[in-house]
Amino acid sequence: MAVLLTVLLLFFAGFVAGFILLVMGAINFDISNSEIPPGVNQPAKLRIIHVTLISTAVVGKILENLGICTQVSFVRYMQGRKILGGDPELFIKDLWFEKVPVRIYQPKAPSASQRRGVMFFHGGGWVFGSIETHEKLCRAIARESDSVVVSVGYRLAPEHKYPAAYEDCLNATQHFLQHLELYGVDPARVTVCGDSAGGNLAAAVSQTLAGRSDLPRLRAQILIYPGLQALDFNLPSYHQNRGVPLLFRERAAFYVLQYLNGNAADLEEVLEGSHIPIDIKLNYQKWVSADKIPEEFKVRGYKPRVLLDCTTEGFERVKRFCEPNLCPLLAEDSVVHQLPESFILTCEYDVLRDDGLLYKKRLEDNGVRVTWYHLQDGFHGIINPFYWDCLSFPAGKRGLDSIMNFLKSL
């Protein structure tokens, strides 16, 4: 019996040691392929957050290989397990809008007039993120801007492919606009807001509702480092920041493919730009082109690439990238010029920076009023407050303050 116990203990110790070595090896590999630019303040904090996220993903992959659970489900569980308690300033309630789960944050203090309404769509690459991961941010928006905030728990990829997330956000927004009186919201002051993939969804919903006469017109859209196109992953920001946490260039392409098809079989073609026919690329170059990016954003090094063609079969798999509901930057001018006042936040060290810059230009060219806030020392994901205050960044606070100031001005 003693011998058996010893063997079991040795086996367990060996398993744990091997597990730790696997995790550390994967982390070291990922860190060696990442880069934190000198312009990022408090780089050690960013590295800690990055390592934490990588560790979670690596453990999830090991558990998936062992047949215990999928990597995606493990990462989602770890992201959403931090639950905040009640809030002395807010009424918080979980509801369903048209079969879509939502969480409503309403200020407790009496109001002499109807409040603003904010539809919030979380980020996470359409694969991760939830109402819980953005709980702290939504509470902050509701408290500091004295607004009624509705956070939408839309369906995630790869289980639910495009257009599931878009349809959920659209249906929830339409429901809210039809029942504003129940929540004391002013029909003339409803805004859609989202970060990253949520910014994509906010832009798509805003475009869809722009021409609707049967619903209250949206007052504004707030797009926080949004991903708005999948035609060109070789714009300056995609190369300058390709290895900068928290979003690598390869992962940005991976996530949009997960949303589109539920897999990343065309990842290499998308990254090199051989997934869209040349004639279609040339047609969209009036909107999606490095030539439309101000020169000051190219000083960190940028070399134009030769356009590559693609096969008919390859394009057939990704042709929906040309749909504005998936890539809002490709909407026609007739739609764009109807859009409401807009706020766009970009970060210098973010692969998605140029998506925001290009959309800013499109909006302005179509006569839409735009408030643009650029975090020169910011990186992707900096706005969503991390649960530990010690891992917050001054740039993130500045960005959040700019969003609050814009909301209060509406």
Side-chain angles (χ1 to χ4, degrees):
M1 185 65 180
V3 174
L4 178 60
L5 182 60
T6 301
V7 171
L8 288 174
L9 288 173
L10 289 172
F11 174 80
F12 179 74
F15 175 80
V16 171
F19 184 85
I20 293 173
L21 287 174
L22 279 172
V23 172
M24 293 305 297
I27 291 173
N28 287 333
F29 175 81
D30 206 286
I31 289 177
S32 66
N33 286 279
S34 67
E35 172 198 0
I36 297 182
V40 172
N41 290 323
Q42 301 177 316
K45 285 186 180 180
L46 179 54
R47 183 65 77 190
I48 291 170
I49 296 167
H50 185 214
V51 168
T52 301
L53 295 176
I54 296 170
S55 302
T56 303
V58 171
V59 172
K61 191 62 179 178
I62 293 172
L63 294 176
E64 181 174 279
N65 292 336
L66 292 173
I68 296 174
C69 65
T70 66
Q71 181 188 42
V72 168
S73 62
F74 178 74
V75 173
R76 288 176 185 166
Y77 168 76
M78 293 300 293
Q79 286 181 341
R81 66 190 180 90
K82 178 72 173 180
I83 305 298
L84 300 178
D87 192 299
E89 298 180 46
L90 301 173
F91 293 113
I92 301 174
K93 189 173 184 179
D94 290 335
L95 295 172
W96 293 81
F97 283 1
E98 304 297 329
K99 299 182 180 179
V100 180
V102 301
R103 181 168 295 167
I104 300 182
Y105 307 83
Q106 294 178 273
K108 290 181 178 179
S111 177
S113 59
Q114 293 176 312
R115 287 188 163 94
R116 303 174 195 84
V118 178
M119 292 295 301
F120 184 86
F121 313 130
H122 67 77
W126 303 279
V127 175
F128 301 108
S130 65
I131 289 174
E132 282 73 25
T133 60
H134 287 64
E135 170 89 356
K136 196 170 183 179
L137 177 57
C138 287
R139 290 189 184 197
I141 294 173
R143 283 195 306 262
E144 296 181 31
S145 69
D146 193 35
S147 301
V148 175
V149 176
V150 179
S151 182
V152 180
Y154 58 85
R155 288 171 291 172
L156 299 176
E159 302 95 320
H160 304 285
K161 305 175 186 62
Y162 168 78
Y166 158 74
E167 290 176 342
D168 285 354
C169 293
L170 177 62
N171 290 336
T173 303
Q174 291 176 153
H175 179 94
F176 187 55
L177 290 171
Q178 291 166 344
H179 299 87
L180 296 175
E181 70 282 355
L182 296 178
Y183 309 102
V185 171
D186 184 348
R189 293 198 297 166
V190 178
T191 296
V192 291
C193 174
D195 66 318
S196 193
N200 168 284
L201 295 166
V205 167
S206 185
Q207 289 180 2
T208 301
L209 296 177
R212 293 280 294 271
S213 58
D214 58 324
L215 293 171
R217 174 177 166 78
L218 292 176
R219 177 64 180 85
Q221 60 175 346
I222 297 174
L223 312 179
I224 306 168
Y225 33 74
L228 300 169
Q229 60 86 32
L231 265 62
D232 191 350
F233 284 88
N234 291 290
L235 294 168
S237 64
Y238 284 92
H239 278 285
Q240 293 166 343
N241 305 310
R242 60 186 177 274
V244 178
L246 298 167
L247 181 64
F248 292 178
R249 171 174 173 261
E250 181 177 324
R251 299 307 290 179
F254 173 84
Y255 287 138
V256 74
L257 281 168
Q258 289 286 303
Y259 181 37
L260 175 67
N261 289 327
N263 63 66
D266 298 294
L267 181 60
E268 290 305 317
E269 290 78 6
V270 169
L271 288 172
E272 69 180 11
S274 62
H275 62 305
I276 303 292
I278 287 181
D279 59 331
I280 294 179
K281 289 178 189 172
L282 291 174
N283 179 57
Y284 284 120
Q285 274 198 337
K286 58 189 175 185
W287 299 328
V288 184
S289 170
D291 295 338
K292 306 296 182 183
I293 303 296
E295 290 301 316
E296 61 263 32
F297 292 100
K298 302 175 186 176
V299 295
R300 286 196 288 124
Y302 168 69
K303 294 181 180 179
R305 292 170 61 95
V306 176
L307 291 179
L308 300 176
D309 211 342
C310 75
T311 63
T312 302
E313 296 78 11
F315 179 58
E316 188 65 26
R317 292 192 297 272
V318 300
K319 63 182 181 181
R320 300 192 79 180
F321 278 160
C322 296
E323 295 182 11
N325 289 340
L326 179 56
C327 296
L329 190 54
L330 307 185
E332 294 296 329
D333 286 342
S334 58
V335 173
V336 176
H337 90 271
Q338 298 183 69
L339 292 173
E341 183 176 351
S342 304
F343 176 97
I344 298 177
L345 184 140
T346 55
C347 293
E348 179 61 28
Y349 303 110
D350 178 10
V351 292
L352 301 184
R353 180 198 70 199
D354 291 351
D355 285 28
L357 294 178
L358 291 173
Y359 204 46
K360 170 182 177 288
K361 177 172 173 51
R362 286 223 57 205
L363 291 166
E364 291 173 338
D365 287 349
N366 280 275
V368 178
R369 183 178 178 182
V370 179
T371 299
W372 172 54
Y373 194 84
H374 184 65
L375 291 174
Q376 190 63 41
D377 53 347
F379 55 86
H380 192 81
I382 197 171
I383 295 297
N384 191 21
F386 298 97
Y387 286 114
W388 302 280
D389 291 336
C390 61
L391 293 180
S392 62
F393 294 81
K397 180 63 166 59
R398 294 199 311 273
L400 190 55
D401 287 345
S402 71
I403 294 169
M404 298 304 176
N405 291 336
F406 176 77
L407 262 177
K408 291 175 183 178
S409 72
L410 301 177

